[in-house]
């Protein structure tokens, strides 16, 4: 990997390291979600969600699709979806293991 790609990758991980942004990404993992629906589901203001969505779109972690007056966001890249799904499964697997295993 070149230096530019390493910097881009590091920025993606930095964005995903914020719990609020990670919750937003996970909310968009399986289906397109509108900003208002996402804000309500996460207990956040629509303006805060929109701010985070701008960053996530710029990093190509989410894709937007305008339908009329609403914009729906989704993890549109199979690589991102696969990585996050695997990591969610890994965390759940670790939580299921008894102590000392």
């Amino acid at each position: 990997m070149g230096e530019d790609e390493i910097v881009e990758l590091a920025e993606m991980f930095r964005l995903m390291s914020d719990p609020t942004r990670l919750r937003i990404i996970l909310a968009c993992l399986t289906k397109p979600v509108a900003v208002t629906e996402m804000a309500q589901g996460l207990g956040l203001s629509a303006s805060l969600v929109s701010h985070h969505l701008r960053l996530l779109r710029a990093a190509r972690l989410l894709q937007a699709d305008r339908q009329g007056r609403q914009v729906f966001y989704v993890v549109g890249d199979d690589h991102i979806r696969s990585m996050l799904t695997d990591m969610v499964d890994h965390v759940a697997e670790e939580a299921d293991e008894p102590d000392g295993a």
Side-chain angles (χ1 to χ4, degrees):
M1 283 185 87
E3 188 62 29
D4 290 345
E5 289 86 8
I6 290 172
V7 169
E8 182 179 357
L9 184 59
E11 178 63 12
M12 286 182 183
F13 281 116
R14 185 188 69 76
L15 287 168
M16 289 187 293
S17 72
D18 178 85
T20 299
R21 285 191 289 263
L22 186 56
R23 289 172 56 210
I24 289 170
I25 295 168
L26 292 174
C28 301
L29 196 57
T30 58
K31 65 180 177 92
V33 184
V35 175
T36 53
E37 179 186 350
M38 195 180 318
Q40 290 173 347
L42 297 173
L44 302 169
S45 70
S47 62
L48 179 61
V49 169
S50 292
H51 168 73
H52 287 298
L53 287 168
R54 276 190 296 278
L55 298 172
L56 296 169
R57 277 188 65 204
R60 299 180 306 142
L61 292 168
L62 294 179
Q63 293 178 350
D65 179 34
R66 180 173 292 281
Q67 295 179 13
R69 300 185 95 177
Q70 288 191 311
V71 179
F72 291 83
Y73 293 86
V74 66
V75 174
D77 185 283
D78 288 335
H79 298 107
I80 302 295
R81 183 178 299 106
S82 177
M83 179 202 56
L84 287 171
T85 301
D86 287 347
M87 293 306 294
V88 167
D89 291 346
H90 175 71
V91 169
E93 180 181 274
E94 292 288 321
D96 291 341
E97 289 184 7
D99 290 341

